[in-house]
Structure formats: C-alpha cells, structure tokens
Amino acid sequence: MTNEIDKDATPRQYVSKHSDASRLTLCAAIRRCSRWALPVGIGFSVIATFAVMKSMVPRYRAVCLLEANGDYLRFGDADPVSQDLATTEKLLCFHPVVLNAVLEDGSLRGAPSLSDPDSAAARLRENLAVDSGGSLTRMVVSYEDTDRSAAAMVCNAVVSCYLQELDGCDANAVSNLERWLAPEIARWEREVEQKQQMVVKLARHTAGQSQYGEERRHFEQSASDSAQLEFVADDLSVANDVLVKLRERVAAIRTERSKGGRVRVLAPAVPPNDSVQSLPINRMATVSIASFLLPFLIGCLWQFGGRDRGNSSAAEDVNE
C-alpha cells in the first residue's frame, strides 16, 4: 500500500479506503501485543497473587480442655451439680472479675490483641469463646490471636483466673456451710451432754429405789423413773446420731476439698500449628486474572489509540 494520496479521490472515499485498510480487530491487536503482554501479564499475576497472600493476617486459635471433677463432693446448694458445664461456667469465664485479672497481668501485653490498652478489654471478650467439650461434663475455652504463642498464653491465663475465682467462690460457700454447721454441732453437743447427765441421774435414782424402797409408792416412782430413763436414753441415742452425722459432714467437706476444685484442666492450651483462616482462593483468582489481562488491555488501547490518531491525521490531510 502506497503512502501517496490519490489526487482524484474525493475526501469521503479516501478516508473510507484508508480506514478499511488500517482497521485493527481485537484479535489482531491481542496477537500483536502478545509478545510482550504475555510475559508481563504472567509477572503481574504472580506478583499480585503473592501480594494478596502477604496481606492476609493469619489467626490462630488455642484451646484448653476442662472437665468437671468427679471426685469433688457436692453438698446441696453449696456446690450444685452442673447439668452442662459449658453453659453454667460460661458466665463466670466472661465475668469482669476474671477478665480484669487477665488484663492486669503485665506479661500478656505482648499479645497483639492486648497490646493496645484502649481496646484490650473489647478484644479479649471478642476473641474469647467457651464451648462444649463433647459431653455435658466437659468444656473448651479457646482464644484467637494473630500470634500462636500469644493465643495459648492468653487462653491459659483466662483459665487460670477463672479457676482461681471458682475456687474462691467454692471456698466461701464451704466456709459458710461450716459456719452454719458450727452452732448446730455446738447445740447438739449440749443436747447430748444434758441427755447423758439425765440418764446417769435417773439410773442412780432407779437403782436406789429398787434396793431400799419397800412401799408401794416407791415402786410406782421406780416404774416412772424407769420409763423416763428409757425415754431419755432414746433421745440421747437420736442426739448422738445427729451429732455424729454433722461431724462426719464437716470432716467430709474438709477431706474432699483437698482433692481439688469442682473443675479441673485436662489439657492446657498449646501454640496451635495451623491457622483458623483458609487461603482467600476467590480473591487470589480474581486479582491474578485481572493482573494477567492488564498488559493486554493497555496494549490494545495503545494500538487502537494510535490508529485513531492516524485516521484523524489522514482525514485532515485530505480536507486540506
């Protein structure tokens, strides 16, 4: 094709002929720029995918398994039996007394989630969870953080503060129970002592009447004293039984308390190996495809822009 202008052609015919000869289809444009756009697109795609992976902040969940202590002796309302350990103990785990004790631990400030004092309390509540451990007598306390070691450290700290508060509550309950039993034991001790004195007195009186009394009234008095002695002896036996049971209860409380609290740790939290987050596959694919196609788009726009400028120049030359 010659670059010379046809003098005999009209301006409209010239422009149409020039446009038809130089029109560039999309496929042709892609083919022309593919030599450099293909490797550049692959490079952009790899870089973009790597950037998405680097921008993802992994989160780790550390878990601690706890169980209701089967050896713990429960006494009525002082230590109610938990129907569902996770349900009954969750409230205490999230209690401000427990969480404030965790926040006051200066060694935990290195945890990313607790590094900011202004947001530490909110982040602690947000990242903490209490769930069932697979049975009614087990529960799992978990904590999430961007640092695996910090997640385990905070999780164990929460459990430790929770158990301390739980033991304190149980100790107060047992102390109240012992304080309630103390006057009862004292009252029954006095009752037993009084009954014992009455039994001794009546026994002596009955024995003396039987030896020296010969008159009828003496026999009647002796029979009355014997009946009263039997009655008092029965009362003494009942009082002794009640006193023994009260003393055994106090002794059982003190013995069983030495076996530990009503909740114990089965497996403390350890730094987890895997993140709880999966790779953002959809986002990575979208960014990768867009980055790969970007050089082709630039190349096509550049070629079409250049042709449009060429056609405009040709049209201006014809008009002149």
Side-chain angles (χ1 to χ4, degrees):
M1 183 178 65
T2 179
N3 292 329
E4 295 181 356
I5 299 177
D6 188 355
K7 302 294 185 179
D8 297 331
T10 64
R12 184 184 298 276
Q13 292 174 338
Y14 179 82
V15 171
S16 177
K17 181 180 179 181
H18 186 81
S19 299
D20 291 340
S22 61
R23 183 177 291 112
L24 183 65
T25 64
L26 179 61
C27 292
I30 293 176
R31 284 196 302 269
R32 290 189 178 184
C33 66
S34 62
R35 290 184 178 180
W36 62 269
L38 182 60
V40 173
I42 294 175
F44 281 2
S45 177
V46 172
I47 294 173
T49 303
F50 183 75
V52 172
M53 293 179 62
K54 290 293 290 183
S55 65
M56 185 189 72
V57 179
R59 294 181 64 83
Y60 301 94
R61 180 185 293 119
V63 297
C64 179
L65 179 62
L66 298 96
E67 182 183 47
N69 188 356
D71 295 332
Y72 187 80
L73 190 61
R74 298 170 174 85
F75 298 97
D77 296 334
D79 300 303
V81 178
S82 298
Q83 297 299 322
D84 186 349
L85 188 63
T87 300
T88 57
E89 300 304 313
K90 184 174 183 178
L91 183 62
L92 181 57
C93 289
F94 281 89
H95 196 278
V97 174
V98 174
L99 299 185
N100 289 339
V102 175
L103 294 173
E104 290 173 359
D105 188 348
S107 63
L108 300 178
R109 288 301 179 185
S113 59
L114 304 181
S115 58
D116 185 2
D118 296 331
S119 62
R123 297 284 295 276
L124 179 60
R125 281 185 169 274
E126 179 183 349
N127 297 345
L128 181 64
V130 176
D131 302 293
S132 173
S135 67
L136 295 178
T137 59
R138 292 186 176 185
M139 72 175 183
V140 172
V141 178
S142 62
Y143 189 80
E144 289 187 14
D145 209 319
T146 55
D147 182 89
R148 66 185 76 203
S149 298
M153 182 171 57
V154 176
C155 183
N156 287 328
V158 172
V159 171
S160 176
C161 293
Y162 153 73
L163 292 178
Q164 289 179 8
E165 185 63 24
L166 179 64
D167 290 343
C169 293
D170 290 344
N172 290 335
V174 171
S175 297
N176 293 335
L177 183 59
E178 289 180 340
R179 282 197 295 268
W180 178 83
L181 290 175
E184 287 294 305
I185 291 175
R187 182 172 71 86
W188 283 102
E189 285 176 343
R190 292 192 299 270
E191 187 77 13
V192 168
E193 184 179 359
Q194 291 173 0
K195 299 297 182 185
Q196 287 175 340
Q197 292 175 356
M198 292 179 64
V199 167
V200 172
K201 182 178 179 180
L202 288 171
R204 289 176 179 174
H205 187 61
T206 301
Q209 292 291 340
S210 300
Q211 183 178 359
Y212 302 108
E214 296 177 356
E215 300 179 0
R216 183 175 180 178
R217 62 183 183 84
H218 290 162
F219 284 107
E220 291 177 351
Q221 182 66 35
S222 175
S224 175
D225 290 343
S226 297
Q228 187 176 5
L229 175 61
E230 183 178 355
F231 179 76
V232 173
D234 290 341
D235 284 349
L236 176 60
S237 177
V238 172
N240 268 320
D241 289 342
V242 173
L243 181 60
V244 169
K245 290 180 179 179
L246 289 175
R247 287 173 173 171
E248 287 178 348
R249 192 173 188 183
V250 172
I253 291 174
R254 294 172 179 173
T255 300
E256 296 300 330
R257 286 294 292 164
S258 64
K259 295 182 179 180
R262 55 187 163 110
V263 178
R264 60 188 177 188
V265 176
L266 286 183
V270 296
N273 295 324
D274 300 324
S275 170
V276 296
Q277 293 174 304
S278 58
L279 289 175
I281 301 299
N282 293 336
R283 182 184 176 191
M284 291 170 61
T286 301
V287 172
S288 177
I289 294 173
S291 301
F292 177 76
L293 295 178
L294 181 61
F296 289 93
L297 177 61
I298 295 174
C300 291
L301 292 176
W302 179 79
Q303 292 188 59
F304 281 117
R307 289 299 178 179
D308 290 341
R309 288 191 297 272
N311 290 339
S312 299
S313 298
E316 291 176 359
D317 292 342
V318 172
N319 291 333
E320 291 177 356

